[in-house]
Amino acid sequence: QVQLVESGGGLVQAGGSLKLSCAASGRSFSNYAIGWFRQAPGKTREGVSCVDRHGESTVYADSVKGRFSISRYNTKNMVYLQTSNLSFEDTGTYYCAVEENCGNWVSRNSYIKWGPGTQVTVSS
């Protein structure tokens, strides 16, 4: 079974960038799509992006389109979320998770395994 660990979060000024990483262990990593979610204090967890198992198809929430980019490298068992032009509204804990495909990627119930998360804090 795939295990996930996120990293790369931190404190950044508005307008800055961070590259978040999702490291996966397990031989079946390439069999799954990977999604990124985020959760701000007092808010529900929301989908940010998803990449299919081959890294050929990606989707993004409207709020991050043009600013975030998701990529994956199956040979390294890694998925990345490159963020840019960050704003205070991007603050939250960012999670990566595995699912069968990105067909219903915005639904948390589609995902079968989650990482512990990495904190992103954007200061104004």
Side-chain angles (χ1 to χ4, degrees):
Q1 191 175 14
V2 178
Q3 303 292 325
L4 305 172
V5 178
E6 305 89 342
S7 63
L11 176 64
V12 63
Q13 289 187 332
S17 303
L18 285 173
K19 186 174 185 178
L20 307 183
S21 300
C22 175
S25 61
R27 297 173 59 185
S28 58
F29 170 74
S30 60
N31 292 336
Y32 296 102
I34 302 293
W36 279 97
F37 279 70
R38 66 186 180 187
Q39 187 166 16
K43 296 188 177 180
T44 58
R45 193 171 297 188
E46 64 172 354
V48 174
S49 183
C50 187
V51 59
D52 72 355
R53 62 188 66 182
H54 302 298
E56 297 173 345
S57 178
T58 59
V59 289
Y60 298 92
D62 288 343
S63 59
V64 306
K65 279 182 182 176
R67 301 189 298 119
F68 290 15
S69 177
I70 191 171
S71 58
R72 71 184 292 164
Y73 297 88
N74 287 344
T75 57
K76 298 181 179 180
N77 278 17
M78 294 292 297
V79 175
Y80 301 101
L81 185 69
Q82 177 68 58
T83 70
S84 63
N85 195 21
L86 289 164
S87 68
F88 177 77
E89 287 71 28
D90 296 312
T91 294
T93 302
Y94 282 68
Y95 302 89
C96 61
V98 295
E99 65 156 333
E100 293 296 322
N101 56 63
C102 294
N104 192 25
W105 72 278
V106 295
S107 173
R108 289 174 291 169
N109 294 333
S110 298
Y111 295 83
I112 57 177
K113 191 72 176 180
W114 295 80
T118 185
Q119 177 66 36
V120 172
T121 303
V122 184
S123 63
S124 57

